[in-house]
């Protein structure tokens, strides 16, 4: 158990989420969270009536310090949203003032203080800054935070370009704050329609097909086809009849879409923990396979939580090996274990993975079997059957 996150005599016991991670040595908050929360408290930025917007809070460290105020907490990660809820419960903190929004929801029109944890994806950051500038006024306090080494001059230029005059604090415990003053010229000219208009969407054609792949700002392989996925879509299972299939960790849906190309009647669930990923997959099915849409479901989920056991024929997965900035294999483990539970007897989990990751060992341990379907110098395609 870690020492609590202590600020202003408030002790918060915070877990990373999901809590049963293999790598328990990582903390659920960082020095940037601490600096941000301390700054707000030390400078008396809040009254009882102040409204806060908090962006990209990983596991609730920032939001749960301000749960007496009206807070909108915005994240693209369903895992972070679950983490916030879990940490509120374990600290007996009420969530009634906290509204959790996804990165595609409209922002509330008025807020007094905006606390912005800088995300890893600069595309997501620009998308969010374009939304923020529609509601920023000269009275709004805007404070961003990150590790000092991650705040480069190019990052500051983005704040300057999208919001206004930008200044930074001194570094404390290797974290830094960024302050932006609303530039009325930028904010007055901002497209005033809340939500809906996304500036960082990227669309490309899937090679050797007529499929267009649209990606919202925070989607994996937003710029081009992932090289692991490229090999994977060449080795998808042959489907004999109308099977129930899951594209697990679907991103933009490229794997499921490639399956739909030859099997338009497949019942297909696209699922991911990123709201933007699931929205992209949904748009891509609508645009490319409108006739198959009724057979498809789109689900924001943590792996396969709540999928009925023994209900699925085939699961296709290109597993992640990062959670935020941390490299980890706990998500792959959870995806494989959940797949075993969700598959019918005789059902197949088919995955692609980097050779060095040794996924065959995990599959052997969980399924008692695994088979090499294809490989190249970097990746392997593996199949495991639930016996
Ligand atoms: C390597 S990417 C693969 C994306 C896409 N299938 C492709 O091949 O381009 C892994 C995906 O898993 C998603 N992911 C990460 N953690 C997850 C979780 N706990 N539950 C569901 N999806 C998750 C990520 O958001 C990401 O889209």
């Amino acid at each position: 158990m870690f020492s609590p996150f202590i600020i202003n005599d408030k002790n918060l016991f915070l877990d990373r989420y999901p809590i049963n991670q293999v790598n328990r040595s990582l903390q659920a908050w960082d020095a940037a969270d601490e600096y941000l929360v301390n700054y707000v408290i030390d400078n008396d930025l809040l009254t009882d009536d102040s409204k806060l917007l908090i962006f990209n809070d990983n596991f609730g460290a920032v939001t749960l310090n301000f749960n007496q105020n009206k807070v909108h907490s915005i994240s693209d990660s369903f895992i972070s949203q679950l983490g916030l809820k879990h940490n509120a419960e374990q600290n007996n903190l009420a969530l009634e003032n906290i509204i959790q929004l996804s990165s595609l929801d409209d922002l509330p029109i008025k807020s007094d203080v905006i606390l912005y944890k800088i995300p890893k994806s600069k595309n997501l950051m620009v998308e969010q800054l374009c939304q923020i500038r529609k509601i920023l006024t000269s009275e709004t306090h805007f404070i961003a935070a990150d590790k000092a080494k991650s705040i480069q001059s190019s990052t500051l230029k983005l704040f300057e370009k999208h919001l206004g005059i930008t200044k930074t604090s001194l570094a404390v415990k290797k974290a830094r704050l960024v302050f932006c003053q609303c530039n009325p010229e930028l904010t007055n000219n901002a497209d005033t329609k809340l939500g809906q208009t996304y500036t960082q969407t990227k669309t490309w054609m899937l090679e050797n097909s007529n499929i267009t792949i649209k990606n919202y700002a925070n989607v994996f392989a937003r710029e081009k086809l992932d090289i692991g996925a490229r090999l994977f879509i060449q080795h998808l299972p042959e489907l004999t009849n109308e099977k129930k299939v899951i594209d697990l960790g679907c991103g933009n849906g490229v794997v499921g879409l490639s399956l739909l190309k030859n099997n338009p009647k497949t019942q297909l669930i696209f699922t991911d923990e990123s709201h933007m990923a699931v929205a992209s997959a949904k748009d891509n099915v609508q645009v490319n396979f409108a006739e198959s849409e009724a057979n498809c479901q789109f689900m924001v989920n943590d792996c396969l939580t709540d999928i009925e056991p023994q209900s699925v024929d085939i699961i296709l997965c290109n597993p992640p090996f990062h959670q935020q900035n941390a490299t980890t294999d706990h998500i792959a483990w959870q995806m494989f274990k959940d797949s075993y539970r969700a598959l019918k007897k005789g059902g197949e989990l088919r995955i692609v993975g980097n050779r060095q990751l040794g996924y065959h060992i995990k599959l052997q341990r969980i399924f008692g079997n695994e088979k090499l379907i294809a490989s190249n110098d970097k990746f392997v395609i593996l199949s495991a059957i639930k016996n």
Side-chain angles (χ1 to χ4, degrees):
M1 175 58 93
F2 287 113
S3 49
F5 182 46
I6 304 175
I7 289 207
N8 213 22
D9 296 334
K10 187 167 178 171
N11 290 3
L12 286 178
F13 287 89
L14 300 174
D15 285 321
R16 290 176 73 86
Y17 199 88
I19 47 174
N20 55 351
Q21 299 192 7
V22 184
N23 188 349
R24 308 241 341 134
S25 60
L26 294 165
Q27 211 173 244
W29 73 90
D30 59 19
D33 293 321
E34 203 173 336
Y35 201 173
L36 195 54
V37 173
N38 273 327
Y39 182 87
V40 174
I41 295 169
D42 294 349
N43 291 282
D44 276 332
L45 293 192
L46 299 178
T47 65
D48 290 349
D49 297 331
S50 300
K51 295 191 172 76
L52 276 96
L53 273 192
I54 298 175
F55 284 82
N56 311 320
D57 191 9
N58 278 344
F59 302 103
V62 180
T63 307
L64 294 177
N65 270 287
F66 302 116
N67 72 323
Q68 306 297 333
N69 283 85
K70 182 98 186 152
V71 180
H72 284 84
S73 186
I74 294 105
S75 174
D76 189 48
S77 166
F78 184 59
I79 303 288
S80 293
Q81 295 178 323
L82 292 176
L84 168 62
K85 204 157 161 269
H86 162 84
N87 284 322
E89 277 162 13
Q90 76 165 351
N91 289 282
N92 291 322
L93 294 173
L95 273 174
E96 65 208 19
N97 289 332
I98 299 172
I99 298 175
Q100 297 211 53
L101 298 179
S102 92
S103 45
L104 293 164
D105 287 327
D106 289 354
L107 299 180
I109 307 221
K110 177 166 171 14
S111 54
D112 304 294
V113 176
I114 300 179
L115 303 181
Y116 189 82
K117 281 295 298 293
I118 299 175
K120 196 171 146 198
S121 156
K122 292 295 168 276
N123 295 310
L124 177 62
M125 172 170 153
V126 171
E127 191 68 272
Q128 291 176 326
L129 296 185
C130 290
Q131 298 298 334
I132 289 169
R133 86 169 165 216
K134 296 175 187 175
I135 56 160
L136 200 65
T137 69
S138 47
E139 277 90 57
T140 323
H141 294 278
F142 178 94
I143 310 145
D146 202 350
K147 290 189 187 72
K149 66 174 185 202
S150 306
I151 304 179
Q152 298 172 351
S153 57
S154 57
T155 320
L156 298 176
K157 278 187 189 140
L158 290 175
F159 282 112
E160 192 93 33
K161 176 174 174 195
H162 294 286
L163 296 186
I165 298 166
T166 298
K167 293 194 174 129
T168 56
S169 70
L170 295 173
V172 173
K173 293 189 193 167
K174 298 188 181 161
R176 205 184 282 284
L177 301 180
V178 177
F179 308 95
C180 293
Q181 231 176 35
C182 155
N183 173 350
E185 262 180 46
L186 288 175
T187 48
N188 289 345
N189 289 337
D191 176 0
T192 47
K193 234 171 92 202
L194 289 175
Q196 308 312 329
T197 46
Y198 300 106
T199 61
Q200 299 301 300
T201 304
K202 179 107 189 173
T203 303
W204 39 265
M205 284 301 280
L206 179 60
E207 51 205 38
N208 306 320
S209 81
N210 292 326
I211 301 174
T212 52
I213 304 283
K214 172 177 164 186
N215 300 271
Y216 289 104
N218 198 34
V219 177
F220 173 84
R222 167 186 174 276
E223 302 287 332
K224 60 178 182 342
L225 180 64
D226 172 53
I227 47 174
R230 173 177 293 137
L231 181 68
F232 199 25
I233 59 178
Q234 292 163 20
H235 298 281
L236 295 177
E238 300 279 327
L239 299 192
T240 46
N241 47 30
E242 292 161 32
K243 297 283 189 192
K244 188 162 177 190
V245 181
I246 295 184
D247 180 353
L248 171 56
C250 63
N252 50 34
V254 70
V255 175
L257 290 158
S258 301
L259 192 84
L260 277 184
K261 191 169 72 167
N262 296 326
N263 308 276
K265 291 198 172 146
T266 306
Q267 286 181 58
L268 191 41
I269 300 178
F270 290 85
T271 182
D272 202 289
E273 75 94 27
S274 153
H275 291 275
M276 286 188 166
V278 174
S280 297
K282 190 168 186 197
D283 287 0
N284 290 333
V285 170
Q286 274 170 357
V287 167
N288 295 288
F289 297 105
E291 69 289 354
S292 301
E293 201 187 337
N295 300 332
C296 295
Q297 280 180 59
F298 305 90
M299 202 182 270
V300 179
N301 200 356
D302 176 16
C303 297
L304 297 176
T305 308
D306 298 333
I307 295 283
E308 202 185 319
Q310 316 234 35
S311 63
V312 182
D313 297 293
I314 292 171
I315 297 173
L316 304 170
C317 183
N318 178 5
F321 48 94
H322 287 109
Q323 185 178 30
Q324 282 120 25
N325 289 318
T327 305
T328 168
D329 68 352
H330 80 271
I331 307 170
W333 265 118
Q334 193 188 337
M335 286 181 163
F336 300 167
K337 286 187 195 156
D338 282 11
S339 295
Y340 186 79
R341 185 177 37 77
L343 283 169
K344 293 176 186 164
K345 275 212 159 113
E348 177 185 357
L349 168 64
R350 192 171 290 202
I351 65 161
V352 59
N354 215 298
R355 276 177 176 280
Q356 298 101 291
L357 294 171
Y359 285 151
H360 62 289
I361 300 170
K362 291 184 172 55
L363 293 180
Q364 187 60 247
R365 212 179 280 174
I366 297 167
F367 285 76
N369 66 81
E370 49 85 23
K371 187 170 133 196
L372 181 70
I373 301 288
S375 66
N376 62 17
D377 54 342
K378 273 209 157 130
F379 295 96
V380 287
I381 313 277
L382 301 171
S383 160
I385 305 292
K386 179 168 173 179
N387 291 315

